Amino acid sequence: MKAVSKPRAIAPNGAKRLASLSAKLPALVLKLGLISHAGLCPVKSLRAGARAGGKSLKFLKTPAGILSRKVAEGLRYARRMGLAVVLLLALWAGLGMDGAVQAGPLGDRLAQFPDWQSKPLLPSAKGDLVYPDWFEGTWNVTTTLVDLVAPLAPEIITPGFEGNRQYLNRPVPFQARFVATLPNRFGGLPLPPSLLGKPQIFSDRAFNGLSLAKAYLDKPGEKSPVLAVKVDPKNPNRQITLLRDESQDSLLGAKELVSTVVARGVETPSPLEFITTEVFQQEFLGSPQIYFNTVETSTAYQLHPNELPRITADQVTAIYLSPQDPDYFAAGDRPVALYRYQLAFSPEPDTD
């Protein structure tokens, strides 16, 4: 009779710590910002629209006419500053032309949980992440783990999986903040406000990441294992969580959990719905062996304009093995752990 293999750890000590922390920190601590945006328009089309705009006053009142006037204004301003015409591509994005698609594969993928057989096919993550306008403000949030699945058990079970059952059906409260900011698509150049478009809603990543990390990892009467959460000023898709080294109390001795979004997709089934998927790479730095893994987070948000909670969400986090793991080829592109959460957002009274 063939012996049944026993569940076993799939990584060294550093990897165990990363896997445990990764599972405890659902999508929000790793990246509280989930949308792709800003489709680009060929320069040729913009020039054609600008030429057509001079032919008719009626045309000038249409969206295309308004765009052509802004393009012409941008060209005049760019010439005065000696800028390249290539800025027109950034101008199109700055005017708020959203590249989000309607409902499709992302929503279908969530509906198929837990039958996930591969990673999703997504475009590369570029630029910052934008939320719908209805996210603006400070929120009291609860996240509740409602299901966890090890699809490849008993052959492969990730470290910390069984331990995470303690969070099952236990709401974890924290605060989240989203702010309206003019998109910095022109490298800080002093362009007139009319060319920058309307403010867009961005996650306060450092605040949100620290808030959720502390909510999950802090214990009463003990020092917080989370020292700080930082966002790379040169790359909004790169977030660094500094974790306390048990033998050190300063930032100099901190270990780092680095999460970088590498792919992103978004769907907008309706003005009250928002679905997004991100895939990001994680690195755990500070131990003798640097460990990597891949995490996917898919979230479907729903706005309830006249109810509390104001926003609810269904969220799934999937863990994939890295090529350095001995079970990588056995797992392939299949997830080795799936965590499903329910989120509820209620506005702070003074921000509603």
Side-chain angles (χ1 to χ4, degrees):
M1 179 181 296
K2 182 179 179 180
V4 177
S5 58
K6 297 180 179 180
R8 59 186 177 85
I10 59 174
N13 291 337
K16 290 181 181 179
R17 180 172 174 81
L18 169 63
S20 178
L21 287 169
S22 299
K24 290 179 181 178
L25 306 184
L28 294 176
V29 71
L30 299 168
K31 188 58 60 179
L32 243 166
L34 307 169
I35 187 171
S36 170
H37 60 286
L40 299 181
C41 171
V43 173
K44 182 178 180 181
S45 298
L46 290 176
R47 287 173 176 167
R51 287 196 299 269
K55 296 181 179 180
S56 168
L57 290 176
K58 183 178 179 180
F59 174 85
L60 293 176
K61 295 180 180 180
T62 66
I66 294 171
L67 174 60
S68 71
R69 293 201 306 274
K70 290 190 175 184
V71 169
E73 182 183 354
L75 281 171
R76 290 194 297 270
Y77 197 88
R79 291 191 187 102
R80 289 199 300 270
M81 298 187 65
L83 301 178
V85 178
V86 73
L87 282 177
L88 286 176
L89 294 178
L91 171 64
W92 182 263
L95 293 174
M97 301 306 294
D98 197 336
V101 298
Q102 298 303 309
L106 303 186
D108 293 342
R109 183 173 176 81
L110 275 170
Q112 293 168 1
F113 173 89
D115 186 23
W116 288 14
Q117 299 298 320
S118 63
K119 298 176 185 177
L121 297 176
L122 300 171
S124 299
K126 296 180 180 179
D128 207 345
L129 311 175
V130 180
Y131 279 93
D133 292 345
W134 34 270
F135 265 92
E136 183 178 4
T138 300
W139 302 83
N140 294 319
V141 188
T142 59
T143 176
T144 306
L145 177 65
V146 295
D147 197 4
L148 66 167
V149 179
L152 304 184
E155 286 76 14
I156 301 175
I157 299 179
T158 59
F161 179 84
E162 292 300 328
N164 286 324
R165 292 188 184 277
Q166 65 179 303
Y167 297 104
L168 196 60
N169 298 318
R170 193 183 90 185
V172 177
F174 66 100
Q175 275 202 332
R177 187 163 62 203
F178 300 82
V179 296
T181 307
L182 283 173
N184 183 17
R185 302 183 188 281
F186 298 93
L189 295 172
L191 296 178
S194 61
L195 295 182
L196 296 177
K198 70 173 185 177
Q200 294 176 316
I201 308 305
F202 296 92
S203 165
D204 186 339
R205 305 174 191 283
F207 176 90
N208 296 341
L210 183 62
S211 176
L212 185 57
K214 285 182 171 292
Y216 264 90
L217 300 179
D218 282 7
K219 295 181 180 180
E222 298 183 11
K223 290 182 178 180
S224 174
V226 185
L227 296 175
V229 175
K230 303 187 298 182
V231 177
D232 189 334
K234 296 182 179 180
N235 181 7
N237 292 319
R238 185 171 182 266
Q239 182 169 299
I240 303 168
T241 302
L242 299 178
L243 303 169
R244 188 184 303 279
D245 190 318
E246 296 177 358
S247 62
Q248 302 281 346
D249 283 332
S250 69
L251 291 177
L252 295 177
K255 295 182 178 181
E256 296 184 0
L257 176 63
V258 181
S259 303
T260 305
V261 179
V262 295
R264 182 187 306 127
V266 63
E267 294 172 356
T268 53
S270 78
L272 303 183
E273 298 175 273
F274 175 60
I275 303 174
T276 183
T277 294
E278 283 190 325
V279 174
F280 47 91
Q281 302 291 336
Q282 288 184 322
E283 304 170 68
F284 189 68
L285 311 177
S287 58
Q289 179 180 359
I290 298 176
Y291 184 75
F292 304 86
N293 74 348
T294 300
V295 178
E296 171 197 348
T297 297
S298 296
T299 312
Y301 297 94
Q302 175 77 50
L303 174 66
H304 309 278
N306 302 312
E307 301 176 16
L308 289 178
R310 185 68 48 78
I311 300 171
T312 57
D314 181 23
Q315 183 178 85
V316 175
T317 296
I319 312 297
Y320 299 89
L321 297 185
S322 67
Q324 76 184 67
D325 195 285
D327 286 316
Y328 172 74
F329 291 103
D333 279 342
R334 294 175 295 173
V336 293
L338 293 168
Y339 299 90
R340 188 167 198 164
Y341 300 87
Q342 298 294 326
L343 288 80
F345 295 70
S346 295
E348 276 281 272
D350 59 348
T351 62
D352 191 9

